[in-house]
Amino acid sequence: MIDAIMNTHYARALPALLEGLQLTVLITLIGLLLGFVIGGIFGLGRLSKNKLIYGASSVFVEVVRGTPILAQVLFIYNGLTKDVIGMNIDPFTTGVIAIAINSGAYIAEIVRGAVYSIDKGQHEAGRAQGLTSRQTMRYIIWPQAFRRMIPPLGNQFIISLKDTSLFSVIAVSELLYRGQQYYNATFAFFETLLLVCILYLCVTIPLSIILRRIERKLDV
């Protein structure tokens, strides 16, 4: 019985697919951490009263959100060649950069919306206590806004995780690419792709459940 199970395509493909899943999650985590920094900068820039900062932030957000991530990753990998930037970018780094930039644009809107949703009275309360605008943002507005960012940030993680499947076009050894390698060698299309989908769901479904619980707990 055990030998029969081990000889199935599911068992044979699983080790390589799990390695691909690890890389998928790693790219997503690193990319989103960088994306949160980018999103925080441009999200606050979208709230700035300085026309230059507001304009530059808006252009970044609209350009990135208005173009598909597949085009972005191909541009970074093939467009930014050694002749352009003086160095080649490897597939893994390209994937991380693409997730960071793409998620950063969407996180910028999450940040802007969360900060904007805080009652203006909070700003006035901070000023009444003698805090500067920057201190008011840091100690009063940002902690409240961050609570409201958690559910949409979790949703962005799920979106970015699935977006990594597009990176197979530049040979990033993520989950789907590993699956393609296996079924190209064995022609076991159904078994391999079914297992790929199941592994994606093993990450996204528990995370969705956790996010719903957090949302109810935070009452946001």
Side-chain angles (χ1 to χ4, degrees):
M1 182 67 178
I2 295 178
D3 289 340
I5 294 174
M6 295 305 296
N7 285 327
T8 63
H9 287 295
Y10 298 108
R12 292 176 180 177
L14 187 58
L17 295 183
L18 287 175
E19 290 180 4
L21 180 61
Q22 290 177 3
L23 190 63
T24 291
V25 173
L26 181 61
I27 291 174
T28 306
L29 286 173
I30 298 175
L32 276 182
L33 286 174
L34 296 174
F36 183 73
V37 175
I38 294 172
I41 293 172
F42 285 98
L44 294 177
R46 293 266 281 170
L47 294 168
S48 176
K49 295 180 180 179
N50 184 299
K51 292 183 178 180
L52 180 61
I53 295 175
Y54 174 82
S57 299
S58 298
V59 168
F60 168 79
V61 170
E62 296 303 326
V63 168
V64 175
R65 293 179 69 195
T67 53
I69 189 172
L70 181 57
Q72 294 165 12
V73 74
L74 289 173
F75 177 79
I76 295 170
Y77 188 68
N78 296 315
L80 297 180
T81 61
K82 187 175 181 180
D83 294 335
V84 176
I85 63 173
M87 60 180 292
N88 291 321
I89 306 177
D90 64 86
F92 176 83
T93 303
T94 300
V96 170
I97 293 173
I99 289 294
I101 293 175
N102 186 268
S103 66
Y106 288 92
I107 291 173
E109 287 298 277
I110 293 173
V111 170
R112 183 188 67 83
V115 172
Y116 191 76
S117 70
I118 303 302
D119 189 270
K120 292 183 179 180
Q122 299 291 323
H123 295 269
E124 297 171 359
R127 300 304 295 271
Q129 294 178 16
L131 300 177
T132 64
S133 296
R134 183 174 296 181
Q135 290 173 329
T136 300
M137 174 62 70
R138 179 179 178 183
Y139 296 112
I140 298 179
I141 306 303
W142 185 260
Q144 297 180 68
F146 184 74
R147 284 166 52 91
R148 301 186 180 186
M149 294 179 207
I150 293 176
L153 286 175
N155 290 330
Q156 184 60 48
F157 178 87
I158 294 174
I159 293 170
S160 295
L161 180 79
K162 293 184 292 184
D163 283 343
T164 60
S165 63
L166 299 172
F167 299 166
S168 59
V169 298
I170 59 170
V172 176
S173 295
E174 43 73 49
L175 177 55
L176 182 59
Y177 183 77
R178 289 299 188 96
Q180 289 174 328
Q181 286 183 313
Y182 185 82
Y183 69 59
N184 284 335
T186 63
F187 300 102
F189 298 98
F190 176 82
E191 297 92 335
T192 307
L193 291 174
L194 176 61
L195 193 52
V196 166
C197 291
I198 290 173
L199 289 176
Y200 276 118
L201 292 172
C202 285
V203 178
T204 58
I205 290 178
L207 183 58
S208 296
I209 294 172
I210 292 171
L211 286 173
R212 285 196 292 270
R213 290 181 177 178
I214 292 175
E215 190 171 354
R216 288 197 297 268
K217 185 174 182 179
L218 295 178
D219 192 25
V220 295

